[in-house]
Amino acid sequence: QVQLVESGGGLVQAGGSLRLSCAASGSTFAINTMGWYRQAPGNLRELVATISRGSGSQTNYADSVKGRFAISSDNAKNTVRLQMNSLQPEDTAVYYCKAVLTNGWGTNDDYWGQGTQVTVSS
């Protein structure tokens, strides 16, 4: 299994920046994709950004954050980061780190962190 711990959330004014970090431990060798998701009260959890591991490091972003957020990973340190710039009040949510692991049966298992609160004031 994998354990995920997020950090870096906080309170920031609109237009400001934050950097979120997610540290993975455990069976990190089996992780094939990591990403960030967010959920505001009353809303569904939505994708923010994902990044694949290995060759290519393919990234994917929600339309709402394209050009403002950047996801990156440090495989040696088993961490994934989310640089958030030009933050808006609409970005306020709990941000969750997700890891997708390949198991021995050709299917995937999902693991989630506890989440870190990001609050953007106007």
Side-chain angles (χ1 to χ4, degrees):
Q1 63 177 13
V2 166
Q3 297 79 44
L4 304 173
V5 180
E6 303 100 333
S7 63
L11 175 64
V12 65
Q13 290 188 341
S17 299
L18 285 174
R19 174 178 285 183
L20 305 183
S21 295
C22 175
S25 61
S27 301
T28 57
F29 64 90
I31 298 174
N32 57 54
T33 304
M34 297 190 70
W36 289 94
Y37 295 71
R38 66 187 182 186
Q39 185 171 22
N43 294 339
L44 297 174
R45 189 171 298 185
E46 64 179 0
L47 180 148
V48 177
T50 62
I51 184 168
S52 62
R53 302 186 72 182
S55 180
S57 298
Q58 184 72 33
T59 58
N60 185 45
Y61 296 92
D63 289 341
S64 60
V65 306
K66 287 181 178 178
R68 300 189 297 119
F69 292 8
I71 189 171
S72 61
S73 64
D74 185 336
N75 292 337
K77 296 182 178 180
N78 296 312
T79 60
V80 62
R81 296 175 292 275
L82 184 68
Q83 178 67 47
M84 305 185 294
N85 299 322
S86 301
L87 284 163
Q88 304 169 4
E90 293 76 23
D91 296 316
T92 296
V94 177
Y95 284 70
Y96 296 91
C97 181
K98 177 185 177 181
V100 180
L101 277 65
T102 300
N103 61 34
W105 298 99
T107 58
N108 298 324
D109 296 322
D110 297 342
Y111 293 85
W112 295 88
Q114 291 291 322
T116 184
Q117 177 70 49
V118 171
T119 303
V120 184
S121 62
S122 60

